[in-house]
Each structure stands twice: as C-alpha cells, then as structure tokens.
Amino acid sequence: MSLNNLRDFVAALERAGELVRVPAPVSVVREIAEVADRCMKSPGGGPALLFTRPTLAGGKASSVPVAINLFGSYKRIGMALGVSDLNEIGARVTHLLTMKPPEGWRQKLALLPKLAELTKYPPRTVDGRPPCQELVLKGSEIDLSQVPIITCWPEDGGPYLTLPQVITRDPKTGVRNVGMYRVQVLGKDLLAMHWQRHKVGAAHWREMAARGEKMPVAIALGGDPASIYCASAPLPPTIDEYLFAGFLRRQPVHLAKAATVDLLVPAESELVIEGYVDPAEPLVLEGPFGDHTGFYSLADYYPAVHVTAITMRQDPIYPATIVGRPPMEDYYLGHATERIFLPLLKLTVPEIVDYHMPAYGIFHNLVFVSIKKQFPGQAWKVMNALWGMGLMSLAKLIVVLDQEVNVQDPEEAWWVALNHMDPERDIRFTMGPIDVLDHSSRAFTYGSKMGIDATRKWKEEGFDREWPNRIVMDEETKRRVDAMWDQLGIPGVGRRGT
Ligand SMILES: Cc1cc2nc3c(=O)[nH]c(=O)nc-3n(C[C@H](O)[C@H](O)[C@H](O)COP(=O)(O)O)c2cc1C
C-alpha cells in the first residue's frame, strides 16, 4: 500500500503494531521529549508514539496530535521507504548506475526503462485546493504558540520544529532544495533557521544575500514518509529531493503552489509554514539546543524567518523528533542514508566493500570502511577520497579495514583495527572542514581529522614480518561438535555458540 502522507504512515504503523497512542495529557514542554527519549533508548528503538491530547506551553489542551519516533527502528524506516531491507534500495541504485554498453538492439531497448527509472516519477503539481491548505492563516491569525511545537531539553533556547522539510530554491539554477534543519520558534510569527554553513539551504541564502533579494522559504511538516526522509539525505545540490522521493516511492510526490510565497510545497503535508528570510536584516541568536551529539550546541547567529502564512489540514498531525545522546530516532534516518548511498560512494571509490557509521559516532565522528585492497597505500587513497566527498568531508575519524571485516559490527571492526595497527605508522592526521556541531575543534567548523589504516600491511608498505591468520575453527570439527551438542548437557549455549 502506498503511503501518500503522514496519516497513511501513522495508520500503517498502527496496523503493524508499531505505534502506541497516548491519550493522557502530556506537555509539549519537555514531557513529550522525556517519554520519547525513554522509548528511543529502549531495545530496538521502542514504539512510535502518537500523543493525541498534548498540552500546550500555556497549559491548554491541543487538538493537534504529536507524532514522534515514527522512523525510529529498522522496521519502521523500512516501512517508510517501502522495503523490508534498506539494502534493496541500494541494489536499485546499483542497478541504475551499472551502465554496460549495450550489445545489439535487444540490450539497447532494455536500457531505456533503466535510464527512465530515476526520472520516471518527477514531482507533479496539482491544481485546486491541496489538503495542506484546507485552512490558511495569514496576518494576525498566525500564532505558532497554538501549534504543539515541542521544547526538548532543559537548556534549549525555546520550542523547535525538529522534523521539517525546509524548502528553498537556488536562484541561479532554479533547482529546489529540501533540507531537514531545526527551526527555533522566537515568536508567534518569527523563527530562526538553523541551516549550517555546509548545507544547501545556507548556500541558497548566501546567494540571495549576494543578490540583495529576499528569500522565500517554506517549511513543510508531514507529507509522505519518503519525502520526510529525503530532507535528511545529503543529496547533491543538483538533485531535487522530491524527485528522489518519487524514485524511492515509485510514485510522484504531489506538490502545490504555496499560498504566500513563490515555492511549491508537498500537497499532502499536514501543515506548512511559509515565510521569507531578508538577508539585509541582522542575524538572530539561535539556540542553545540539545543536539544529536548528546551535548548542547551553543547559541549562535542565524537568519530569522518571517512567517507570512500557516496553512494546514482541518485536522493536522504534528510530526516531531528529538535528538540527544544516541541512540535516537535520527540514527535510523542516517542509517537509511548509509545504505542508499553506498553504491554512490562505490561509483567513485570502487574498492569500497562496505562502510558503517555507528550510532555513538553521530555520523561524522566515526566511519568504518572495508576495502578490497589491491595496491600499497590504498587505505590512504580511500580516506582522502572520502574526505573530498560532500558531507563525508566532515568525518572526524575514518578507520579503513580489509574486505573480510564486517564493519556493520563495530566491536569486530575495533577488534581487528586495534590488532592490526602500529599507531605511529598507521595513524595520520590531516586538516579540513569540521561539522558545525563539533564543540572540540580548534576553530568553529575547522580542525583536524584522523585516519587509521587498519588493513593488513604489505611488503611494499615497509612491513617485512609475517602477518598471522584470524583464528577460525575448521568446519569438520564444528560439524562433529554440532552432532554431539545435545548430549553434552551444556545449558544456555546454542549449537554454534549462539
Ligand atoms: C533530526 C535531524 C535534524 C537535523 N538538524 C539539522 C540542523 O538543524 N541543521 C543542519 O544544517 N542540518 C541538520 N540535519 C542534517 C541535515 O538534514 C542533512 O545534513 C541534510 O543532508 C541537509 O540537506 P541538504 O544537503 O539539502 O542541505 C538534521 C538531520 C536530522 C535527521
């Protein structure tokens, strides 16, 4: 069944036993966050939650339910993207990128649908009043305090939109960008936009500032789950997130003209906040915010968004997430990116077998990469390539291992790495851009990186001792022990040590 909007997704999760409705009054001020945090920290990510009667900051009950932790398990992120295993999407992308010259007309014909696969489902603009504009609030009707926007942590600067699709347009190319950037509520019609300097929304803003033009911005909440995920995906600036969402869904995303700004917004959104950034205006103080590092990101200056309209369904559901000490819901969104982008990494760095960013590494702090090593120095080549690619350039520590290491298992990766390295020989430091959220770098967004070559060392790399094999029991002995296992009377241990 296709999931065309947030309510479809909520209903599908409920049918699958993945969602718990909470009818009790729970405050949007930290209480929802505390409940969600306990769920997200429970084994497997806990259930998705729908708070049906959240209490607003002023103490009034809201009729707008708050949905949270919708993407927060392997099963639910798979459901959001219509697969039971995220690697299925990776395989689709690989198929798309495998371009052998066709031999004969049969193969040429077979290539055509493949080429069309990515562009088969371009976003479609719908006429008439879209669901997200059943209610249109303008002027004095705009009051963000009536929306159940959550305040997450005690030292946060205020309430935040935490699961938004921030829509902007590149003034040079006209290409749309959709980014998931937290947005702080500063007043009933005023927001602070936290697009970090390395992100595409910020690039559009710099471009608009150079032109001295006001910048239209739309912030969509809800819509189909693939579109919500795509806002968090580090797609190249030339790829429209809603085109990619169409590819993931195998159906176009429906868009509609925004009510007060010159942008298209997902027609199926629950709620859309429209407005503009005026680059001529001074920046406003944003934060602090309890961030996905598990620490507060400090207050800093970001552009203000003036709200020109709030449009919504008659009965919107407000989607949210919280970030904080991992594991949290955002790990699963990041994990989808890890799986979907593997074929794209392999396109330019073909020796990569797999990679993994463990939850506690917060994406940019730690990347394990396994490679098929074919020449000396290849681990350094791979690290340098990764540090030159998109948001991978922010990676603080990259550990490169041989192909047989299962990098999806961080314990195995560390075990092998710690065995295989001679620290002075195998660790190198370099410099580069650092994630905005890193609080330890010597300067804001600039600092050092560390690479560990944990591959087997070759003679050409100056290693002339013998390299030992990994200890693995032979199959014959395993089979004999399997056959006798039940007679051994050893409780609590499975046949193969499981
Ligand atoms: C829950 C969540 C919150 C995020 N908050 C921010 C944020 O406040 N600012 C930011 O620049 N990136 C944030 N990100 C990361 C961006 O969504 C991500 O880097 C994305 O690729 C940005 O889109 P862009 O490449 O189109 O700029 C967040 C991601 C998630 C999953």
Side-chain angles (χ1 to χ4, degrees), residues 370-447:
S370 58
I371 63 165
K372 187 169 188 325
K373 181 165 164 177
Q374 291 148 320
F375 49 82
Q378 202 165 357
W380 304 117
K381 176 219 177 223
V382 169
M383 286 173 216
N384 289 323
L386 292 178
W387 279 320
M389 282 169 108
L391 291 183
M392 258 306 167
S393 63
L394 305 178
K396 200 147 93 161
L397 169 55
I398 299 182
V399 185
V400 183
L401 298 125
D402 288 305
Q403 60 181 332
E404 67 275 8
V405 180
N406 175 15
V407 290
Q408 295 300 320
D409 177 353
E411 280 197 16
E412 173 166 335
W414 277 129
W415 162 62
V416 175
L418 295 169
N419 269 297
H420 278 14
M421 71 185 194
D422 170 289
E424 193 268 339
R425 182 195 60 202
D426 296 332
I427 295 178
R428 286 287 180 279
F429 297 100
T430 186
M431 298 299 292
I434 295 285
D435 194 274
V436 165
L437 304 184
D438 190 294
H439 55 252
S440 66
S441 58
R442 67 203 62 196
F444 180 59
T445 70
Y446 172 67

Side-chain angles (χ1 to χ4, degrees), residues 162-164 177-183 194-202 230-237 241 286 289 291-292 321-323 330 333-334 363 391 436-437:
T162 51
L163 202 67
N177 187 70
V178 188
M180 185 169 287
Y181 316 124
R182 71 174 190 240
V183 190
H194 185 260
W195 44 43
Q196 298 160 1
R197 59 172 16 159
H198 304 119
K199 307 302 170 75
V200 181
C230 282
S232 77
L235 289 165
E241 277 77 4
E286 192 269 1
F289 180 69
D291 227 310
H292 76 160
T321 189
I322 55 162
V323 293
D330 65 332
L333 292 164
F363 312 117
L391 291 183
V436 165
L437 304 184

